[in-house]
Amino acid sequence: MALLEMRDVHLTYRTDEGPIPAVRGVNLSVDAGEIVGVAGESGCGKSTLVSTVLRLFPKTATVTGEVLVAGEDVLTMKWNRVRAVRWGEAAVVFQGALHSLNPIQKIGKQLVEPILLHDKKSSEQKALKKVRELLAQVGLPARHADAYPHQLSGGQKQRVMIALALTCDPEVLIADEPTTALDVMVQAQILELLTEIARERSMAVVIISHDLSVLATTCDRVAIMYAGRIVEEGVAREVFDYPKHPYTRALTGAFPTIGDPESRYAPSGLAGDPPFPGDLPEGCPFHPRCPDAIDRCKEVDVGLLPAGPARRAACILVNEGVAAS
Amino acid sequence: MTTTSVSESTPSASASPNVIEVDNLCVSFPGRRGGIARAVDGVNLNVGRGEVVALVGESGCGKTTLARSILGLERPESGEIRFHGLPLNYGAKALKKYRSNVQLVLQDPTGSLNPRHSVYEAVAEGPRTHGMDDEPGRVSRALAQAGLRPPERFFLRYPHELSGGQRQRVVIAGALALEPEVIIADEPVSSLDASVRGEILALMLKLREELEVTLLVVTHDLGLAWNIADRIVVMYLGRVVEEGPTEQVLNDPQHPYTKALLSVVPEMEQVEAIVLTGEAPDPTKIPSGCRFHPRCQKVKDGTAEAAGVLDKCMGTSPLVLPPDATQHVAACHLVTNPPSA
């Protein structure tokens, strides 16, 4: 059963310079025990998409569509219900976790707070006991409850952030760039931990990252976003190994396979910058940067097309078998 | 201390083919909770002209301290750094001159640019500080070399009007404006988007090709090293544990630490990930024997004992690797290095 389901979600920021459509029709569903990755570069709308799950977007945003958490639409529920769903049913490990902890409060106190807020019957004692168990689950000694954030390393702080998201036993967990700014070895540890927790608790997990290689090894499925839309989706490893959308191909090419002589002294990137969401090009929004663009791309935006088993890609060439190579 | 200052040195004045030589360098700091943190604890390193060297390791392994020492920002406790064969002169004037030859590019372009300075001002700051002539010409050239064309279009732009990739190009242009021989880049692409990353790396290779710039890239990204580096130097807890030509080190790693680092690169599907427990240990308490032994998978799985070197791993520190730019060597009791090592 899908614990998180997004149906045709649009989010538009109203600004003085006119409307900025940041998310333009996203469908995404995540089952219990499943890990789904969302990749894309800065400004593609992936963090904005996350904000809809907990209704964290600002008042200047207009949202349409449905965001179902365990079958309930977050976008239309009453505010006191939203407050219960936040942290209780869906929680976020925010980006920039290393700066998200209160520097002058002990770790234990910060972890106890959401437990007491959400469970009125709990006592400080009971909550503290749970905090110790949570710390153990994320691989930290219980004595860290008495530590201040500055006494912990980056990897340890990220573990605390994950424990914090787990305090109220959510069914949906969203991790926004959970390993950016961490070392390779620590990154591997954190990803291993997230996978373990997702399986153990049968949670629906979404991992947001700009690093497709991280998602390929950790997630079951991935969705690639560009200019507010999903442009490719499928089984993680398949999307990474055999990308069908030219944008996905550029992303996978950015991280070389070590040992592959072709990438030696040949870093590959994508020229140009992503389009400004308030001023998208006509036709396929990717065509100005696309190495494979044909004339029709300037006029037609095809949307997601079937591109194999459990696989879709938003590229006109998918149908013609050119991009499928 | 020699009486010849670095500023008078020219490539031809020295017999050494190396631009930078680091000789048995030790740098330490007072530890946070008392004790002495040996951030760099006996490092030899040569960097040749026009070479691209990647210095890799975890946070806290001393790679940034080593880079800062080469820039003259940290004073060594012992050992020395030579530029074209001459020891670094720490006098203010000599250092200033030296730094126009050896430039630094930092990780986060947003943090290293003043938000209230235009692109022109950011790039012109270096030449102005060093009293160089033809400032507008230098700025134009540097921006064009960094791939911002036409340069005039960028003169009056501010950092917030640029994309992440463009900002990093401005930072690189700021270094290029001084026409340096060496650029030290500390994680030059780690805060950039995947699509921009390749572009910046390609730019660095082009600088080497066209301007013969020598590059020392500090990074934890082995893919970056595979993309652009001629040689890799792997550091662990203040020491070089393995070094050699990139192909050899990455295709056939010798040190257990390098093997572990390589196994956790997400693309390496065919190898089983060796996830080391814990983080790089405390440089105030360097373990005796081989400094890697408490985390070493070869000690843990009994390989070291079976090979009869476990006592050595626990009690004898492996030799400090010599500054040899051609051999592939590793500081591990389990590894037999080439005879010259």
Side-chain angles (χ1 to χ4, degrees), chain A residues 150-161:
Chain A
H150 75 267
Q151 294 171 308
L152 306 183
S153 69
Q156 289 171 330
K157 272 187 246 182
Q158 190 58 279
R159 284 171 193 270
V160 170
M161 290 302 294

Side-chain angles (χ1 to χ4, degrees), chain B residues 35-50:
Chain B
I36 291 164
R38 304 188 173 284
V40 175
D41 192 23
V43 165
N44 294 310
L45 175 70
N46 287 349
V47 184
R49 187 175 166 78

Side-chain angles (χ1 to χ4, degrees), chain B residues 20-341:
Chain B
I20 284 174
E21 292 167 349
V22 175
D23 186 4
N24 205 9
L25 188 78
C26 293
V27 182
S28 50
F29 304 103
R32 224 187 280 171
R33 284 171 219 98
I36 291 164
R38 304 188 173 284
V40 175
D41 192 23
V43 165
N44 294 310
L45 175 70
N46 287 349
V47 184
R49 187 175 166 78
E51 218 183 358
V52 180
V53 175
L55 191 57
V56 304
E58 289 168 282
S59 314
C61 74
K63 56 190 197 296
T64 298
T65 304
L66 177 59
R68 288 176 57 86
S69 308
I70 294 173
L71 285 159
L73 293 167
E74 305 292 349
R75 300 290 172 93
E77 185 185 278
S78 64
E80 70 178 10
I81 289 153
R82 292 187 290 269
F83 183 61
H84 290 302
L86 298 170
L88 215 61
N89 178 336
Y90 291 93
K93 254 193 177 160
L95 261 189
K96 186 173 164 188
K97 173 74 182 146
Y98 171 69
R99 287 191 188 132
S100 73
N101 276 324
V102 182
Q103 276 287 301
L104 176 68
V105 169
L106 285 169
Q107 176 171 17
D108 171 19
T110 314
S112 33
L113 289 172
N114 185 333
R116 295 164 50 128
H117 280 183
S118 67
V119 166
Y120 181 88
E121 287 167 86
V123 178
E125 192 176 351
R128 213 173 282 169
T129 309
H130 287 274
M132 292 174 168
D133 55 356
D134 186 23
E135 188 184 286
R138 275 177 185 275
V139 174
S140 291
R141 262 199 313 279
L143 285 171
Q145 282 161 354
L148 296 170
R149 292 194 195 92
E152 293 75 23
R153 236 185 71 204
F154 290 91
F155 277 5
L156 297 177
R157 307 271 283 274
Y158 284 85
H160 74 267
E161 299 173 293
L162 305 174
S163 69
Q166 289 173 333
R167 280 181 215 150
Q168 191 61 299
R169 287 175 191 271
V170 172
V171 173
I172 292 172
L176 290 175
L178 296 166
E179 296 171 4
E181 284 180 60
V182 182
I183 290 182
I184 297 179
D186 194 351
E187 300 284 9
V189 295
S190 70
S191 68
L192 300 179
D193 266 320
S195 57
V196 185
R197 174 196 147 95
E199 298 272 292
I200 296 291
L201 294 182
L203 168 65
M204 302 186 100
L205 279 180
K206 213 180 94 203
L207 296 180
R208 186 258 288 269
E209 204 72 27
E210 290 174 5
L211 307 173
E212 283 207 313
V213 173
T214 303
L215 277 167
L216 180 65
V217 186
V218 179
T219 183
H220 64 255
D221 181 345
L222 293 171
L224 181 160
W226 179 259
N227 267 159
I228 68 168
D230 304 316
R231 212 145 51 80
I232 289 191
V233 176
V234 183
M235 275 186 82
Y236 183 78
L237 205 52
R239 280 267 171 96
V240 174
V241 293
E242 181 159 5
E243 72 165 291
T246 302
E247 278 94 351
Q248 291 180 30
V249 173
L250 292 185
N251 284 331
D252 186 23
Q254 295 299 311
H255 198 283
Y257 179 63
T258 316
K259 287 182 184 171
L261 270 188
L262 203 53
S263 78
V264 295
V265 174
E267 291 87 51
M268 304 301 279
E269 275 291 283
Q270 63 279 29
V271 289
E272 199 186 326
I274 308 161
V275 180
L276 298 174
T277 48
E279 290 164 44
D282 189 350
T284 57
K285 296 183 203 100
I286 290 175
S288 61
C290 169
R291 55 194 62 210
F292 184 58
H293 87 255
R295 292 172 86 196
C296 181
Q297 68 273 25
K298 297 287 175 197
V299 167
K300 222 163 262 170
D301 71 9
T303 312
E305 193 171 11
V309 295
L310 186 62
D311 288 346
K312 273 181 153 174
C313 292
M314 313 296 272
T316 320
S317 180
L319 288 175
V320 173
L321 293 178
D324 191 319
T326 52
Q327 302 270 15
H328 176 196
V329 288
C332 171
H333 292 303
L334 279 165
V335 176
T336 323
N337 282 318
S340 67

Side-chain angles (χ1 to χ4, degrees), chain A residues 5 20 34 45 47 55 57 61-62 64-65 93-94 110 126 143-144 152 165 168 210-211 213 222 249 252 302 304:
Chain A
E5 194 168 0
I20 297 178
E34 195 182 27
S47 292
R55 226 156 111 181
F57 42 81
T62 313
T64 60
V93 180
F94 287 101
Q110 297 187 51
K126 265 198 229 158
R143 66 182 151 81
H144 278 31
L152 306 183
C168 301
H210 68 272
D211 185 344
S213 59
V222 290
R249 212 167 320 147
T252 55
V302 289
L304 284 171

Side-chain angles (χ1 to χ4, degrees), chain A residues 264-286:
Chain A
R264 187 81 178 113
Y265 293 124
S268 81
L270 184 61
D273 293 303
F276 176 63
D279 183 21
L280 293 176
E282 291 276 310
C284 170
F286 185 59

